[in-house]
Amino acid sequence: MRVVIVNTGTELLLGDIQDAHLSFIAHEIFPLGLRVEERRTVPDGTAIRDALEELFARAEILFVTGGLGPTTDDITREIVADLLGLELHQDTQLLASLRQRLEALRIKWTSRIARQANVPVGAQILPNENGSAPGLYFPVNISPRVSSPHLFLLPGPPRELQPMFRQSVLPILRSIAPFSDSLECRIYRVVGMGESLIEEAIGQKILAIPKVELGYCARPGDVDVRILGEASALDRAEAIIRTALGASIYSTTGHTIEEMIVKLLSARNETLAVAESCTGGLLANRITNVPGASEVFVAGYVCYANQAKIDILDVDRKLIEKHGAVSEAVARALAESARRSSRSTYALATTGIAGPTGGSADKPVGTVYIAFASADSETIAKKFFFPSDRETFKQLAAQAAFDLLRRKLIA
C-alpha cells in the first residue's frame, strides 16, 4: 500500500523545529509490511489543501501531522472537512473532556479551544492523553463526493503523536494493511570504518544477491548497514557482512556503542572511569545517558587546562613540559591516574587538538591520543587523526575511545 506523510507547519520550513515524525512512523509501520514512499512538508494555509488534493489520488494511507490546535493557523481539520464535503459538528463528550482537562491544568478556557471538539461527520476520534487536540481517522472513500485514502490527522508535538499512534493508529492499520511477514530489515552498526570502505568490502557481493536492498546511514565514527529482503536472501547477505566487517560490528539490535559498553561491563561486574581533555565530558555524558550506568560508571574527570591535569589527576608537570599535553605519555598518565583515583576496573583518557587553531607541523589540528588503562594489563595509548569541525572531532574521538574499550571487553 502506498503510504505518504504530510507534515504541516510554517515553523518546520523556517527551520525553527525539526521533523521528528518520519523516522518514528516509518519504524512503527514496517512490521506491518508498510513502508513510507513519500514525505512532504508544507506551510500552514492553502498549501495544505493543494497537497492533499494531489495526494488523495495517489496515496492509499495518508498521515497528516499538525494543524489541529486552537489557534488561527490550525486549519487542517477544516481543510479536510471541506475537501471531503463533510460537515463539522461539535462532539459534546469531547468538549466536556477538554473543559475538564484545562480546569485540572488551571488553563483559562477560551472560545477557540472549543474548535478542537469539532469533528467531521463519519470521522473516528483518536484520543489524545497528552494534549488537547484529538486525532482523527477517515476511512477510505468516506465521502461519495471525492475519492480519498485511509486518512489520519495527527497532532504535531511528538509527545502527543507517538502515544496516540501506538494506542489508536496501529490497531486500525492492522485491520487494513495486507500484512506480510516475508520482508525483513536487518541493521548492523559498524564503528571505526568509513562508509566508502564498507561499501568496497561488501557492496558488490550483496547487490549480486537477488531481491536484497542495501543501504547505509553514516554518522561521525559510525555507520549503519541496512539490508531488506526475504529471510533466506538476508541470511546470505549477513554471512558476507559478518565475514567482511567482523568485530567492527558492535550491534545488530539498534543499541548505541555506549549502551553496549554498559551492558558488557554490567555482565562482567566491572567498572569504568574517564579522564577527558579534548572531549570535554562527552564520554561521561554519553555513558551516563544509558539507564543502568550507575552500576558501572564510577567517575569522570574533565581536565581541560594543563594545570587541571596536574591538580586533579596528579599528572607530572615535567611530563607535560617534555611531551606536550597532547601526547601519548600524557594520555597514559591521565588514564592510569583516573583508574587509581576512582578504583575502577578500567579507565579511558582523551587529549587532543580540536581546532581550528592550536595545531603544529608535528601535531596538526585533529590529532588526538586515546589511552586505555586496566587493572590487570599494560596501558594502551593510540594516536588518531580526525581533521574536522570541533563538534564532529569530539564525536569521532568519543567513538574511537568507546571502541577501544569495547574491543578489549570482547577480546
Side-chain angles (χ1 to χ4, degrees):
M1 299 181 77
R2 292 186 298 277
V3 180
V4 179
I5 300 173
V6 175
N7 300 131
T8 73
T10 302
E11 67 276 9
L12 292 167
L13 293 170
L14 290 175
D16 296 335
I17 297 176
Q18 292 185 342
D19 167 44
H21 299 321
L22 174 61
S23 176
F24 171 79
I25 292 175
H27 279 95
E28 290 295 313
I29 67 175
F30 185 83
L32 302 180
L34 299 172
R35 296 174 64 181
V36 176
E37 292 194 5
E38 181 180 348
R39 188 276 303 273
R40 190 177 301 188
T41 303
V42 297
D44 299 312
T46 58
I48 300 174
R49 183 185 185 94
D50 295 340
L52 296 184
E53 279 187 309
E54 177 194 339
L55 292 169
F56 274 8
R58 295 195 288 109
E60 293 176 90
I61 298 175
L62 180 57
F63 300 109
V64 183
T65 70
L68 300 178
T71 57
T72 54
D73 59 344
D74 293 318
I75 56 175
T76 303
R77 182 191 305 102
E78 288 74 16
I79 287 174
V80 169
D82 184 56
L83 277 173
L84 296 175
L86 302 175
E87 291 185 8
L88 285 162
H89 70 91
Q90 194 168 76
D91 187 285
T92 55
Q93 284 189 322
L94 186 53
L95 185 65
S97 175
L98 282 172
R99 286 188 178 275
Q100 291 174 1
R101 180 178 181 84
L102 266 64
E103 286 176 5
L105 295 173
R106 297 182 180 180
I107 297 175
K108 183 181 179 181
W109 180 267
T110 68
S111 59
R112 297 207 63 84
I113 293 174
R115 293 178 61 229
Q116 297 171 111
N118 292 338
V119 179
V121 173
Q124 177 181 332
I125 296 171
L126 308 177
N128 187 349
E129 297 180 0
N130 299 280
S132 58
L136 296 167
Y137 164 61
F138 300 77
V140 64
N141 297 325
I142 188 174
S143 170
R145 287 182 45 180
V146 60
S147 176
S148 62
H150 293 280
L151 176 61
F152 296 85
L153 305 188
L154 304 170
R159 66 180 183 84
E160 299 179 27
L161 180 146
Q162 293 181 10
M164 180 187 295
F165 200 94
R166 290 185 171 126
Q167 294 164 16
S168 300
V169 175
L170 286 178
I172 297 172
L173 291 176
R174 292 189 187 102
S175 70
I176 64 177
F179 175 71
S180 171
D181 60 359
S182 62
L183 187 66
E184 287 186 28
C185 178
R186 301 181 190 177
I187 296 177
Y188 306 83
R189 290 201 154 174
V190 182
V191 63
M193 293 182 69
E195 192 175 10
S196 59
L197 289 177
I198 296 173
E199 165 72 18
E200 184 178 30
I202 66 173
Q204 290 186 354
K205 294 177 182 178
I206 290 179
L207 291 176
I209 303 172
K211 297 182 180 180
V212 172
E213 286 186 44
L214 172 64
Y216 309 92
C217 179
R219 295 175 297 274
D222 202 278
V223 177
D224 283 353
V225 177
R226 180 187 65 254
I227 52 174
L228 292 103
E230 294 187 354
S232 58
L234 295 193
D235 288 344
R236 293 172 59 192
E238 178 168 337
I240 293 169
I241 291 170
R242 290 193 177 278
T243 299
L245 306 183
S248 294
I249 301 169
Y250 69 82
S251 174
T252 58
T253 56
H255 290 97
T256 63
I257 194 167
E258 55 265 35
E259 288 173 328
M260 298 305 294
I261 285 172
V262 169
K263 182 178 179 181
L264 287 167
L265 288 171
S266 296
R268 297 162 62 107
N269 197 29
E270 294 175 333
T271 56
L272 172 69
V274 296
E276 304 183 62
S277 182
C278 60
T279 48
L282 182 58
L283 273 67
N285 178 62
R286 286 177 56 176
I287 285 287
T288 55
N289 280 339
V290 180
S294 60
E295 299 297 321
V296 301
F297 187 69
V298 180
Y301 307 93
V302 180
C303 308
Y304 208 65
N306 288 351
Q307 192 61 47
K309 295 175 176 63
I310 297 166
D311 294 342
I312 297 174
L313 286 178
D314 200 30
V315 175
D316 191 336
R317 184 185 299 275
K318 293 180 180 179
L319 198 67
I320 297 175
E321 292 172 350
K322 180 179 179 181
H323 299 282
V326 178
S327 62
E328 178 180 330
V330 170
R332 287 176 180 272
L334 286 168
E336 291 169 355
S337 183
R339 197 195 67 76
R340 285 195 305 271
S341 298
S342 65
R343 298 182 177 86
S344 60
T345 314
Y346 308 109
L348 290 170
T350 63
T351 180
I353 307 168
T357 60
S360 66
D362 293 336
K363 299 174 184 177
V365 169
T367 301
V368 59
Y369 289 89
I370 298 171
F372 167 82
S374 170
D376 55 8
S377 62
E378 183 181 352
T379 300
I380 297 169
K382 291 190 174 184
K383 181 181 180 180
F384 297 87
F385 185 51
F386 301 129
S388 55
D389 62 273
R390 290 176 68 86
E391 183 63 28
T392 303
F393 169 85
K394 290 166 68 176
Q395 292 289 349
L396 289 166
Q399 285 295 102
F402 287 146
D403 189 41
L404 180 59
L405 170 60
R406 181 189 67 91
R407 288 175 185 268
K408 290 298 176 184
L409 293 177
I410 64 175

